[in-house]
């Protein structure tokens, strides 16, 4: 990496144009790298860590849109300025496409690029806040210091394990940090996309190693609302599932109910695409948002997860019991599976079983466990020990 704070990466098929831009960039205080090749551009992008990109749409081997897709897949956060000899409409549409991929698009220029305009864009970019994601989080992701714990889901009717939910932790200096302490940071600092991809990758890898032994067990993954406006997500997850030979119908995506207040149309688009690709979708923490019923009506869910705030005190709380009964009935009448999370006692298990709830999760059955311990727990549970959950709570 270089000492100069501002780094400009240029791809343009004309060597002369590259040289002019280099001069302008250096005058504006940037370290500049230029290339006429799309392949070299990709390599440079990965090593140079640019703070600003100038991209000619018409270059050999790759077209500009392919390069934009490459940048999106590598979670590029720096601004991108497009240039082209073609008409303005092509530039405008390409820029919009870039935005839809989640990229930060700057102004676009028709060739020949005006030196004054370019200078002004470079100066403006220097004043913009640079990516200030917390270093510890960036390093943890880069070094894959992500650990997943898994909490089983058990059928009330059969007492069999039907699923596991992946719950992320961050390993920093030997300690495990819970998700509430870093997911919001990741969401604010643009790291959530690479974090989510890493989580899914680890979860798929670990899950794959137990599928043959437990084909009836599905995998649930929590998705941050901030990734739900990303139109590429369903394709990326499907590709990852295929790479691991995992059938998408065995993957459940848990989405927190509070996620749905913003970007409604885009989120509906992404969720529906996930469904079309075979994933099942769960509405997590159900009952804590303010428009639960509207969401149920408008989005294609498969599962309701009743929030633990309604469940944990079901023994003493008669009103909560009426609520859980209504939600279970409502879910069933809509053809959905109903899961209760936060079951801590036998009493609460019995109440929910009698109310017709489908799936149970909570400390009473099993705490979230690291993967090695989970596999031991699953083996015990399969041997029938699961009928006495207390024995299994502390493997
Ligand atoms: O695992 P518990 O241990 O502390 O999780 C706390 C919260 O963090 C829950 O609301 C859970 O949904 C969320 N969470 C856990 N794992 C993940 C994850 O992989 N991604 C996202 N976005 N949220 C997670
Ligand atoms: O929002 P989400 O449903 O993903 O939250 C899962 C969170 O609930 C995790 O933090 C997990 O550790 C916690 N959890 C799981 N089972 C229980 C339980 O029985 N009681 C309580 N209080 N928390 C639980
Ligand atoms: Mn969850």
């Amino acid at each position: 990496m270089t000492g100069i704070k501002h780094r400009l990466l240029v791809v343009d098929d004309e060597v002369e144009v590259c040289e002019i831009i280099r001069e302008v960039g250096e005058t504006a205080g940037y370290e500049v790298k230029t290339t006429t090749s799309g392949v070299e551009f990709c390599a440079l992008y990965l090593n140079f860590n640019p703070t600003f990109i100038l991209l000619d749409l018409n270059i050999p081997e790759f077209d500009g849109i392919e390069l934009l897709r490459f940048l999106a897949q590598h979670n590029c956060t720096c601004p991108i300025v497009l240039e082209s000899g073609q008409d303005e409409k092509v530039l405008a549409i390409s820029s919009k496409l870039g935005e839809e991929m989640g990229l930060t698009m700057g102004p676009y220029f028709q060739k020949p690029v005006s030196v004054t305009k370019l200078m002004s864009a470079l100066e403006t970019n220097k004043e913009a806040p640079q990516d200030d994601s917390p270093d510890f989080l960036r390093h943890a992701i880069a070094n894959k210091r992500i650990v997943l714990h898994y909490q089983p889901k058990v059928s009330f009717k059969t007492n069999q394990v039907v699923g596991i939910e992946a719950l992320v932790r961050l390993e920093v200096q030997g300690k495990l940090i819970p998700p509430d302490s870093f997911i919001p940071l990741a969401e604010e600092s643009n790291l959530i996309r690479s974090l989510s991809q890493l989580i899914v990758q680890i979860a798929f890898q670990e899950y794959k190693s137990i599928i043959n032994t437990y084909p009836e067990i599905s995998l649930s993954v929590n998705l941050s609302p901030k990734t739900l406006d990303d139109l590429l997500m369903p394709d990326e997850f499907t590709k990852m599932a295929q790479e691991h030979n995992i059938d998408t119908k065995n993957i459940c995506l848990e989405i927190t109910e509070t996620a749905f207040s913003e970007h409604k149309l885009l989120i509906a688009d992404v969720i529906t695409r996930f469904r079309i690709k075979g994933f099942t979708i769960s509405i997590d923490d159900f009952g804590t948002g303010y428009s639960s019923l509207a969401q149920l009506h408008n989005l294609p869910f498969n599962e309701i997860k009743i929030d633990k705030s309604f469940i944990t005190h079901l023994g003493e709380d008669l009103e909560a019991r009426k609520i859980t009964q209504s939600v279970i009935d409502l879910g069933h009448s809509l053809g959905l599976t109903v899961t209760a999370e936060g079951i801590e006692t036998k009493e609460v298990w019995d109440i929910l079983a009698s109310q017709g709830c489908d799936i149970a999760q909570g400390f009473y059955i099993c705490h979230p466990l690291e993967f090695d311990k989970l596999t031991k727990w699953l083996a015990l549970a399969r041997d029938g020990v699961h009928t006495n959950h207390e024995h299994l709570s502390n493997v």
Side-chain angles (χ1 to χ4, degrees):
M1 189 103 34
T2 156
I4 299 181
K5 230 169 104 196
H6 306 291
R7 292 174 296 276
L8 170 65
L9 177 59
V10 183
V11 57
D12 192 301
D13 68 337
E14 292 170 84
V15 183
E16 305 76 30
V17 175
C18 283
E19 284 320 302
I20 295 168
I21 296 174
R22 175 193 299 284
E23 248 189 81
V24 179
E26 286 174 354
T27 310
Y30 283 71
E31 182 179 350
V32 184
K33 291 216 190 283
T34 67
T35 174
T36 54
S37 135
V39 175
E40 197 187 8
F41 171 83
C42 295
L44 279 172
Y45 171 76
L46 296 172
N47 292 318
F48 183 49
N49 193 22
T51 59
F52 201 62
I53 291 175
L54 199 70
L55 195 158
D56 182 357
L57 283 177
N58 314 94
I59 37 152
E61 320 145 47
F62 278 113
D63 66 49
I65 303 302
E66 280 177 286
L67 291 183
L68 288 178
R69 189 158 291 125
F70 168 86
L71 293 171
Q73 277 162 356
H74 288 82
N75 306 308
C76 173
T77 54
C78 81
I80 301 160
V81 165
L82 299 178
E83 41 150 339
S84 168
Q86 280 171 318
D87 67 25
E88 185 156 339
K89 195 160 176 194
V90 175
L91 276 163
I93 291 172
S94 307
S95 182
K96 224 184 170 84
L97 267 173
E99 268 169 31
E100 280 177 14
M101 293 177 196
L103 294 166
T104 309
M105 303 306 294
Y108 45 81
F109 299 133
Q110 251 180 304
K111 276 184 165 182
V113 178
S114 135
V115 170
T116 324
K117 281 189 189 161
L118 177 60
M119 190 62 141
S120 148
L122 287 167
E123 289 295 345
T124 311
N125 181 57
K126 276 163 67 182
E127 289 150 24
Q130 300 296 322
D131 181 4
D132 56 354
S133 43
D135 276 350
F136 82 92
L137 195 53
R138 182 176 285 287
H139 284 139
I141 295 170
N143 297 315
K144 304 197 168 20
R145 306 198 75 85
I146 300 291
V147 179
L148 297 185
H149 284 190
Y150 294 89
Q151 191 174 32
K153 294 166 91 171
V154 172
S155 157
F156 277 106
K157 271 203 197 92
T158 65
N159 249 327
Q160 298 291 320
V161 181
V162 292
I164 50 173
E165 177 184 4
L167 296 157
V168 66
R169 280 91 180 91
L170 193 65
E171 194 187 324
V172 178
Q173 292 169 348
K175 285 202 198 105
L176 289 186
I177 301 181
D180 293 340
S181 323
F182 62 89
I183 294 278
L185 271 179
E187 286 174 341
E188 282 162 23
S189 58
N190 258 335
L191 285 171
I192 192 65
R193 197 167 190 279
S194 40
L195 180 62
S196 305
Q197 277 176 334
L198 187 55
I199 290 169
V200 170
Q201 205 149 41
I202 298 171
F204 281 8
Q205 238 158 37
E206 293 183 325
Y207 176 60
K208 185 190 172 184
S209 72
I210 61 162
I211 304 180
N212 288 339
T213 321
Y214 304 103
E216 71 288 358
I217 292 181
S218 64
L219 170 71
S220 294
V221 180
N222 292 285
L223 269 198
S224 164
K226 290 280 183 332
T227 54
L228 283 180
D229 56 2
D230 184 343
L231 290 164
L232 291 176
M233 214 65 159
D235 290 310
E236 281 171 12
F237 279 28
T238 306
K239 196 163 150 248
M240 280 197 265
Q242 281 164 351
E243 281 164 5
H244 290 90
N245 267 326
I246 293 171
D247 190 339
T248 52
K249 79 175 187 332
N250 292 322
I251 305 296
C252 175
L253 304 172
E254 295 193 5
I255 299 162
T256 305
E257 193 197 349
T258 48
F260 307 119
S261 44
E262 278 178 75
H263 309 300
K264 277 196 189 113
L265 210 63
L266 203 54
I267 286 177
D269 181 330
V270 173
I271 291 182
T272 308
R273 279 195 203 186
F274 271 123
R275 277 298 306 277
I276 290 168
K277 292 184 179 301
F279 294 89
T280 57
I281 309 287
S282 172
I283 181 163
D284 203 358
D285 305 330
F286 186 80
T288 57
Y290 57 88
S291 56
S292 322
L293 294 178
Q295 310 313 342
L296 275 185
H297 188 49
N298 294 329
L299 293 166
F301 293 106
N302 305 87
E303 180 192 62
I304 293 180
K305 266 187 108 169
I306 309 176
D307 188 64
K308 53 183 173 288
S309 58
F310 297 98
I311 304 295
T312 310
H313 305 292
L314 220 49
E316 313 87 71
D317 190 341
L318 292 182
E319 203 166 87
R321 252 187 246 192
K322 288 183 189 160
I323 293 174
T324 53
Q325 184 69 71
S326 308
V327 174
I328 291 165
D329 294 343
L330 172 69
H332 286 168
S333 66
L334 293 172
L336 307 176
T337 303
V338 182
T339 298
E341 60 170 25
I343 300 174
E344 296 182 357
T345 62
K346 180 172 190 316
E347 184 185 16
V348 171
W349 167 288
D350 288 340
I351 294 167
L352 288 160
S354 74
Q355 290 186 331
C357 190
D358 303 298
I359 294 170
Q361 206 181 11
F363 297 163
Y364 172 60
I365 299 125
C366 186
H367 283 252
L369 300 172
E370 58 191 82
F371 187 68
D372 279 355
K373 287 192 174 167
L374 173 85
T375 55
K376 289 185 186 127
W377 188 92
L378 289 175
L380 282 174
R382 196 173 48 171
D383 289 342
V385 193
H386 56 266
T387 46
N388 190 349
H389 299 292
E390 284 93 337
H391 289 296
L392 291 172
S393 301
N394 301 304
V395 175

